[in-house]
Amino acid sequence: GYQIKLETAMALCTPNAKRAALIVVDAQVDFVDEKGSMTTKDARSIIPLINKLKKGVKWTVVVLSQDSHPKDHISFLETHANDPEARETGMKKVGNRVQKLWPTHCVKGSEGEKLYSELKVDPSDVIVKKGEDKNVDCYSAFYDVEHKTSTGLTKILREKRVSDVYVCGLTYDFCVGYTALDAAGDNFNTFVIEDATRGIQDHEINDMKNRLNDGGVSLIHSSVLLSDRKDDMRQKAAEYFEEKRIMPLLQKLTALLVHEKPENPRQFLIEKLKQMKEAKISPEDFSSSLMTDEDLAVVFKTMDVNDRGEISTSQCKQGLLSLGVPEGEISLDMQDKTKMYSVEEFKKMAASGLKTI
């Protein structure tokens, strides 16, 4: 097998090692074409790279988002033509927030709404349209700016058991950035592919980078994803993990530690691995998860510190993460402070999440 340290393998996993989604944000005629109503500088140059990313990585799903606005959308400067202050400032007070105003763009059914012709669209690509409500703007491919309405993208990704999200397209300082922030907010491991996106203004791009950093989003270069697989340490680690069924093994060892609470965990694990080797347990003997009902109940018990027979949302999430369930698989409402979960509910969520590993 490959001689790779466990720490290295876990740190260098790639999209091929996990269930990853590529989100291409708003690669549309009005933003890319030189005759578009809101052409982004140098936007056309990233289309070949996006095509290369789509083809060169084994994605679980590729999502293409599209602005699709009614002709009188609230974000259009022309919608507020009779408001002198809005025309002068390019801003409009809407409820408790200030709406930035733009030239009319991506009107539903128009040429400008279409995906740019040089972008290669595959039958398996998922199209997500946004900004269809004339009364609220929608930068993100996940939610409107008020976070009241979802596009359904989170549900799509969870149904496909996605854990990692990679975002590219237009524009860095608005729709790409807000899409990444919402992905991270929904507990997906999130990355922005910097050389596969373009922005409008440098100072706003820098502001968005700071927000992404604060929001837990990683910034990467496409070369990380497109490097030669033959000598790619990350891919070797991914293949090694899959071949040797490392994650189920780690789950079982974790459960044994919880059960036995040995004084010398290192020596305990070495002995257990020796026993497995002597018993000639092969990867084919591993089920999709080696965690038994009893194992899951023990993990629940460690979270149920007050012995009440139920745990809070945050305790439930902590327990699922400790089992190795990907964050993208955990669909708990972290804002609900009153919801409690029984051991059976916890085991059901754990069993479902562990199927992805």
Short mmCIF file of all heavy atoms in Angstrom, two decimals, residues 215-245:
data_model
loop_
_atom_site.label_atom_id
_atom_site.label_comp_id
_atom_site.label_asym_id
_atom_site.label_seq_id
_atom_site.Cartn_x
_atom_site.Cartn_y
_atom_site.Cartn_z
N GLY A 215 -15.98 33.79 8.06
CA GLY A 215 -17.05 32.80 7.96
C GLY A 215 -16.58 31.37 7.80
O GLY A 215 -17.39 30.46 7.61
N GLY A 216 -15.26 31.17 7.84
CA GLY A 216 -14.73 29.81 7.77
C GLY A 216 -14.61 29.25 6.37
O GLY A 216 -14.49 28.04 6.18
N VAL A 217 -14.60 30.13 5.37
CA VAL A 217 -14.46 29.70 3.98
C VAL A 217 -12.99 29.73 3.58
O VAL A 217 -12.28 30.70 3.86
CB VAL A 217 -15.27 30.61 3.03
CG1 VAL A 217 -15.06 30.21 1.57
CG2 VAL A 217 -16.75 30.57 3.40
N SER A 218 -12.52 28.67 2.92
CA SER A 218 -11.13 28.60 2.47
C SER A 218 -11.00 29.11 1.04
O SER A 218 -11.88 28.87 0.21
CB SER A 218 -10.62 27.16 2.54
OG SER A 218 -10.68 26.67 3.87
N LEU A 219 -9.91 29.81 0.75
CA LEU A 219 -9.63 30.32 -0.59
C LEU A 219 -8.54 29.47 -1.21
O LEU A 219 -7.47 29.29 -0.62
CB LEU A 219 -9.19 31.79 -0.53
CG LEU A 219 -10.10 32.73 0.28
CD1 LEU A 219 -9.55 34.15 0.24
CD2 LEU A 219 -11.53 32.70 -0.25
N ILE A 220 -8.79 28.92 -2.41
CA ILE A 220 -7.84 28.01 -3.03
C ILE A 220 -7.62 28.38 -4.49
O ILE A 220 -8.37 29.16 -5.07
CB ILE A 220 -8.29 26.54 -2.94
CG1 ILE A 220 -9.58 26.33 -3.73
CG2 ILE A 220 -8.44 26.11 -1.50
CD1 ILE A 220 -9.94 24.87 -3.91
N HIS A 221 -6.59 27.80 -5.09
CA HIS A 221 -6.29 27.97 -6.51
C HIS A 221 -6.71 26.70 -7.25
O HIS A 221 -6.66 25.60 -6.69
CB HIS A 221 -4.78 28.22 -6.69
CG HIS A 221 -4.39 28.68 -8.06
ND1 HIS A 221 -4.13 27.78 -9.08
CD2 HIS A 221 -4.22 29.92 -8.58
CE1 HIS A 221 -3.82 28.47 -10.18
NE2 HIS A 221 -3.86 29.75 -9.91
N SER A 222 -7.12 26.84 -8.49
CA SER A 222 -7.59 25.68 -9.25
C SER A 222 -6.55 24.59 -9.39
O SER A 222 -6.88 23.41 -9.54
CB SER A 222 -8.06 26.12 -10.64
OG SER A 222 -6.97 26.66 -11.38
N SER A 223 -5.26 24.95 -9.32
CA SER A 223 -4.20 23.95 -9.47
C SER A 223 -4.27 22.89 -8.37
O SER A 223 -3.82 21.76 -8.57
CB SER A 223 -2.82 24.64 -9.45
OG SER A 223 -2.63 25.34 -8.24
N VAL A 224 -4.82 23.25 -7.22
CA VAL A 224 -4.98 22.29 -6.13
C VAL A 224 -5.90 21.15 -6.56
O VAL A 224 -5.72 20.00 -6.18
CB VAL A 224 -5.56 22.98 -4.87
CG1 VAL A 224 -5.88 21.96 -3.78
CG2 VAL A 224 -4.58 24.02 -4.35
N LEU A 225 -6.88 21.49 -7.40
CA LEU A 225 -7.87 20.50 -7.84
C LEU A 225 -7.48 19.79 -9.12
O LEU A 225 -7.91 18.68 -9.38
CB LEU A 225 -9.23 21.19 -8.05
CG LEU A 225 -9.76 22.01 -6.88
CD1 LEU A 225 -11.04 22.71 -7.29
CD2 LEU A 225 -10.01 21.12 -5.68
N LEU A 226 -6.65 20.45 -9.94
CA LEU A 226 -6.36 19.93 -11.27
C LEU A 226 -4.96 19.36 -11.41
O LEU A 226 -4.51 19.11 -12.52
CB LEU A 226 -6.56 21.04 -12.31
CG LEU A 226 -7.99 21.58 -12.43
CD1 LEU A 226 -8.02 22.82 -13.31
CD2 LEU A 226 -8.92 20.50 -12.97
N SER A 227 -4.26 19.18 -10.30
CA SER A 227 -2.89 18.68 -10.38
C SER A 227 -2.88 17.24 -10.89
O SER A 227 -3.88 16.52 -10.82
CB SER A 227 -2.22 18.74 -9.00
OG SER A 227 -2.99 18.03 -8.05
N ASP A 228 -1.73 16.81 -11.40
CA ASP A 228 -1.57 15.47 -11.97
C ASP A 228 -1.86 14.40 -10.93
O ASP A 228 -1.20 14.32 -9.90
CB ASP A 228 -0.13 15.30 -12.48
CG ASP A 228 0.08 13.97 -13.19
OD1 ASP A 228 -0.89 13.18 -13.27
OD2 ASP A 228 1.19 13.74 -13.67
N ARG A 229 -2.85 13.57 -11.18
CA ARG A 229 -3.28 12.58 -10.20
C ARG A 229 -2.24 11.49 -9.93
O ARG A 229 -2.25 10.87 -8.89
CB ARG A 229 -4.58 11.91 -10.66
CG ARG A 229 -5.75 12.86 -10.75
CD ARG A 229 -6.06 13.47 -9.41
NE ARG A 229 -7.11 14.46 -9.51
CZ ARG A 229 -7.43 15.29 -8.54
NH1 ARG A 229 -6.76 15.27 -7.42
NH2 ARG A 229 -8.40 16.16 -8.70
N LYS A 230 -1.32 11.25 -10.88
CA LYS A 230 -0.37 10.16 -10.69
C LYS A 230 0.52 10.38 -9.48
O LYS A 230 0.83 9.46 -8.75
CB LYS A 230 0.50 10.00 -11.95
CG LYS A 230 -0.25 9.45 -13.15
CD LYS A 230 0.69 9.26 -14.32
CE LYS A 230 -0.06 8.70 -15.54
NZ LYS A 230 0.85 8.53 -16.70
N ASP A 231 0.96 11.62 -9.30
CA ASP A 231 1.88 11.91 -8.20
C ASP A 231 1.23 12.79 -7.13
O ASP A 231 1.92 13.38 -6.32
CB ASP A 231 3.13 12.61 -8.74
CG ASP A 231 3.89 11.74 -9.73
OD1 ASP A 231 4.07 10.54 -9.42
OD2 ASP A 231 4.26 12.25 -10.80
N ASP A 232 -0.10 12.86 -7.16
CA ASP A 232 -0.80 13.72 -6.22
C ASP A 232 -0.97 12.99 -4.88
O ASP A 232 -1.67 11.99 -4.79
CB ASP A 232 -2.17 14.10 -6.80
CG ASP A 232 -2.90 15.09 -5.92
OD1 ASP A 232 -2.35 15.45 -4.86
OD2 ASP A 232 -4.01 15.50 -6.28
N MET A 233 -0.30 13.49 -3.87
CA MET A 233 -0.35 12.87 -2.55
C MET A 233 -1.77 12.83 -2.00
O MET A 233 -2.18 11.88 -1.33
CB MET A 233 0.55 13.68 -1.60
CG MET A 233 1.03 12.91 -0.40
SD MET A 233 2.17 11.58 -0.83
CE MET A 233 2.87 11.28 0.78
N ARG A 234 -2.55 13.87 -2.33
CA ARG A 234 -3.93 13.92 -1.84
C ARG A 234 -4.75 12.77 -2.43
O ARG A 234 -5.51 12.11 -1.74
CB ARG A 234 -4.58 15.26 -2.23
CG ARG A 234 -3.94 16.46 -1.59
CD ARG A 234 -4.65 17.73 -2.04
NE ARG A 234 -4.65 17.85 -3.50
CZ ARG A 234 -3.72 18.48 -4.18
NH1 ARG A 234 -2.73 19.05 -3.56
NH2 ARG A 234 -3.78 18.55 -5.49
N GLN A 235 -4.56 12.55 -3.74
CA GLN A 235 -5.34 11.49 -4.38
C GLN A 235 -4.90 10.12 -3.89
O GLN A 235 -5.72 9.22 -3.71
CB GLN A 235 -5.19 11.58 -5.90
CG GLN A 235 -6.11 10.62 -6.66
CD GLN A 235 -7.57 10.88 -6.38
OE1 GLN A 235 -7.94 11.97 -5.95
NE2 GLN A 235 -8.40 9.88 -6.60
N LYS A 236 -3.60 9.96 -3.66
CA LYS A 236 -3.12 8.68 -3.11
C LYS A 236 -3.75 8.43 -1.74
O LYS A 236 -4.14 7.31 -1.42
CB LYS A 236 -1.59 8.70 -3.00
CG LYS A 236 -0.88 8.60 -4.35
CD LYS A 236 0.63 8.53 -4.15
CE LYS A 236 1.35 8.38 -5.49
NZ LYS A 236 2.81 8.29 -5.32
N ALA A 237 -3.83 9.49 -0.96
CA ALA A 237 -4.46 9.35 0.36
C ALA A 237 -5.92 8.97 0.22
O ALA A 237 -6.43 8.11 0.96
CB ALA A 237 -4.32 10.67 1.13
N ALA A 238 -6.61 9.61 -0.73
CA ALA A 238 -8.03 9.31 -0.95
C ALA A 238 -8.22 7.85 -1.34
O ALA A 238 -9.10 7.14 -0.84
CB ALA A 238 -8.60 10.23 -2.02
N GLU A 239 -7.36 7.38 -2.28
CA GLU A 239 -7.45 5.99 -2.74
C GLU A 239 -7.14 5.02 -1.61
O GLU A 239 -7.78 3.97 -1.46
CB GLU A 239 -6.50 5.78 -3.91
CG GLU A 239 -6.90 6.55 -5.17
CD GLU A 239 -5.79 6.57 -6.22
OE1 GLU A 239 -4.70 6.01 -5.94
OE2 GLU A 239 -6.02 7.13 -7.30
N TYR A 240 -6.16 5.40 -0.80
CA TYR A 240 -5.78 4.55 0.33
C TYR A 240 -6.93 4.44 1.34
O TYR A 240 -7.26 3.35 1.81
CB TYR A 240 -4.55 5.14 1.01
CG TYR A 240 -4.02 4.31 2.16
CD1 TYR A 240 -3.20 3.20 1.93
CD2 TYR A 240 -4.34 4.63 3.47
CE1 TYR A 240 -2.71 2.44 2.98
CE2 TYR A 240 -3.87 3.87 4.54
CZ TYR A 240 -3.05 2.78 4.28
OH TYR A 240 -2.58 2.03 5.32
N PHE A 241 -7.56 5.58 1.65
CA PHE A 241 -8.69 5.58 2.59
C PHE A 241 -9.82 4.71 2.07
O PHE A 241 -10.44 3.96 2.81
CB PHE A 241 -9.19 7.02 2.78
CG PHE A 241 -8.66 7.67 4.03
CD1 PHE A 241 -7.30 7.70 4.28
CD2 PHE A 241 -9.52 8.25 4.94
CE1 PHE A 241 -6.80 8.29 5.42
CE2 PHE A 241 -9.03 8.85 6.09
CZ PHE A 241 -7.67 8.88 6.33
N GLU A 242 -10.10 4.81 0.77
CA GLU A 242 -11.20 4.04 0.20
C GLU A 242 -10.87 2.56 0.15
O GLU A 242 -11.70 1.71 0.50
CB GLU A 242 -11.52 4.56 -1.21
CG GLU A 242 -12.73 3.89 -1.85
CD GLU A 242 -13.10 4.51 -3.16
OE1 GLU A 242 -12.47 5.52 -3.57
OE2 GLU A 242 -14.03 4.00 -3.81
N GLU A 243 -9.66 2.24 -0.30
CA GLU A 243 -9.25 0.85 -0.43
C GLU A 243 -9.23 0.13 0.91
O GLU A 243 -9.71 -1.01 1.04
CB GLU A 243 -7.87 0.76 -1.08
CG GLU A 243 -7.33 -0.66 -1.19
CD GLU A 243 -5.86 -0.70 -1.58
OE1 GLU A 243 -5.29 0.38 -1.88
OE2 GLU A 243 -5.29 -1.79 -1.59
N LYS A 244 -8.69 0.79 1.91
CA LYS A 244 -8.49 0.15 3.22
C LYS A 244 -9.66 0.37 4.18
O LYS A 244 -9.61 -0.11 5.31
CB LYS A 244 -7.19 0.67 3.87
CG LYS A 244 -5.94 0.41 3.04
CD LYS A 244 -5.71 -1.06 2.81
CE LYS A 244 -4.40 -1.32 2.05
NZ LYS A 244 -4.21 -2.76 1.77
N ARG A 245 -10.68 1.08 3.71
CA ARG A 245 -11.85 1.37 4.54
C ARG A 245 -11.43 1.99 5.88
O ARG A 245 -11.80 1.53 6.96
CB ARG A 245 -12.68 0.11 4.78
CG ARG A 245 -13.16 -0.59 3.51
CD ARG A 245 -14.02 0.33 2.64
NE ARG A 245 -15.15 0.89 3.34
CZ ARG A 245 -16.31 0.27 3.51
NH1 ARG A 245 -16.48 -0.94 3.00
NH2 ARG A 245 -17.29 0.85 4.16
#
